[in-house]
Amino acid sequence: MSNPSSPATPALPKVGFVSLGCPKALVDSEQILTQLRAEGYDTAKSYDGADLVIVNTCGFIDAAVQESLDAIGEALNENGKVIVTGCLGAKKDADGDDIIQKIHPKVLEVTGPHAVGEVMQAVHKHLPKPHAPFIDLVPPQGVKLTPKHFAYLKISEGCNHRCSFCIIPSMRGDLVSRPIADVMLEAENLFKAGVKELLVISQDTSAYGVDVKFRTGFWNGKPIKTHMTQLVGALGELAQQYGAWVRLHYVYPYPHVDQIIPLMAEGKILPYLDVPLQHAHPDVLKRMKRPANGEKNIERIQAWRALCPDITIRSTFIAGFPGETEAEFEYLLDFLKEAEIDRLGCFAYSPVEGATANEIANPVPEEVREERRGRVMQLQEDISKKRLQAKVGKTLRVLIDEVDRNGGTGRTYSDAPEIDGVVYVKPPFEPHRKLEVGQFVDVRITAADAHDLWGAAE
């Protein structure tokens, strides 16, 4: 006797997702995807396979705005049902009108950044959720868009500063620090899931806890302050239990940053500091309204290197900021020659709608801005080549990111994913030993150029 056939399982509603912008926006995307998964939605890999599409946008500079608008237009053309979130969603034009709704009036809903709840409300409105949530489908670490062996850990949202070239506070609001127990729990879940590198991000990592007056929280039954130094120390101890790396980004050079350098020297966290200095001349920094612009950065860098000789310093700078004179620019070049920043990015100033820097007198012509950016990058290429050449002959720990028949590519402690260099690794001589993604390998460095390293696995 045959059993009656069971009813077919209804297909899960599918959501397509386009994620643009910086790592902080990527974390927003991961949080939305995690909630979608928790509520039983499936994700689609193509426009035609999706019931609707979410586009997470960037709105910081003009090129990013255009990329976001193009992505929205493509999603509308290919699918037709589009929800928009992210920084561009909070941006208005000169008349105070919503930029997205004005250019793409057919979008279903628009929200600003860090708006998981609002996005989910919009999804529920246009694509009702399944009757029963599939909580068991969500791993403890949530849904991630990065490879399994590294992940971003966002510790706060927003920023209290009002740098004249930046409109992020108008889109993401003032600083809101996550509870330290929540941050530590997420870190632990990520390590348990196999993450080998944790990249700590925020708008201002050094300011973590300022908004809650460094309130004391609890982790594993022990008190711990909501403060950058205590958080970093706890993350370092946790990472050591799993043989993993902790890398710090967006660290403004406040005085208490000096307290984390010993942790780097002791190997508890990576000796890598991403410090967005933006310029060196005090008058330019004043026009930028930069925090910590009174710090003696050359002396600080020298002190950090004295305490932790292996430290890698990454920074970003702006060339051609409004009012920048040739003398002020030469001052920046002299600073860079003396500081010998390991990893550096330089951008020609780009006017951002809504930024107060646009009102500063004596704007620098575009061709001069680009020419100055080129001079900075040429100088940095020489500095980088010299510093990387000094690594030839050394054996460095490398985290493997990709593997192919010729070996693989990976990164040392000096290299953050996507923004720094890589190491091209020849495989071990022993046939039974193969490189694997997410594996730490000791590599003897045999060659270098201005950006990358080459070596052989030992």
Side-chain angles (χ1 to χ4, degrees), residues 22 258 316:
C22 66
D258 294 348
T316 51

Side-chain angles (χ1 to χ4, degrees), residues 83-254:
I83 294 170
V84 179
T85 187
C87 287
L88 187 57
K91 197 169 184 180
K92 308 293 183 182
D93 63 14
D95 298 323
D97 296 325
D98 185 292
I99 290 177
I100 294 172
Q101 294 282 11
K102 197 170 187 178
I103 297 176
H104 294 300
K106 292 184 179 180
V107 297
L108 300 176
E109 306 279 349
V110 178
T111 81
H114 197 53
V116 178
E118 293 177 54
V119 171
M120 293 309 301
Q121 287 178 4
V123 172
H124 297 158
K125 178 179 177 181
H126 299 283
L127 185 63
K129 64 181 179 179
H131 292 299
F134 292 82
I135 299 298
D136 57 317
L137 296 180
V138 182
Q141 74 275 15
V143 176
K144 296 296 174 184
L145 297 175
T146 50
K148 291 182 179 180
H149 62 287
F150 72 82
Y152 294 100
L153 179 68
K154 184 159 64 171
I155 63 173
S156 64
E157 186 62 64
C159 182
N160 287 344
H161 301 294
R162 297 296 183 264
C163 301
S164 62
F165 56 83
C166 182
I167 59 172
I168 287 177
S170 67
M171 295 186 287
R172 289 186 172 266
D174 289 336
L175 176 72
V176 178
S177 300
R178 292 179 61 194
I180 195 163
D182 291 357
V183 175
M184 292 301 301
L185 178 60
E186 182 178 353
E188 183 177 52
N189 286 335
L190 288 167
F191 288 139
K192 286 181 177 179
V195 165
K196 293 300 181 183
E197 179 182 13
L198 202 60
L199 299 103
V200 178
I201 60 171
S202 66
Q203 304 296 337
D204 182 357
T205 297
S206 305
Y208 177 68
V210 167
D211 56 311
V212 294
K213 299 180 180 179
F214 308 118
R215 179 174 57 213
T216 298
F218 288 86
W219 169 246
N220 283 344
K222 297 180 181 179
I224 178 172
K225 283 189 175 182
T226 309
H227 191 283
M228 177 202 183
T229 55
Q230 294 205 15
L231 172 64
V232 170
L235 287 174
E237 291 179 4
L238 184 63
Q240 285 187 320
Q241 298 175 29
Y242 294 89
W245 285 351
V246 174
R247 187 184 301 276
L248 303 182
H249 286 277
Y250 309 105
V251 179
Y252 289 93
Y254 303 144

Side-chain angles (χ1 to χ4, degrees), residues 299-318:
E299 289 82 356
R300 295 286 297 287
I301 290 170
Q302 291 172 343
W304 294 341
R305 285 175 171 157
L307 189 58
C308 182
D310 291 332
I311 192 171
T312 292
I313 298 173
R314 151 168 275 282
S315 192
T316 51
F317 293 85
I318 298 174

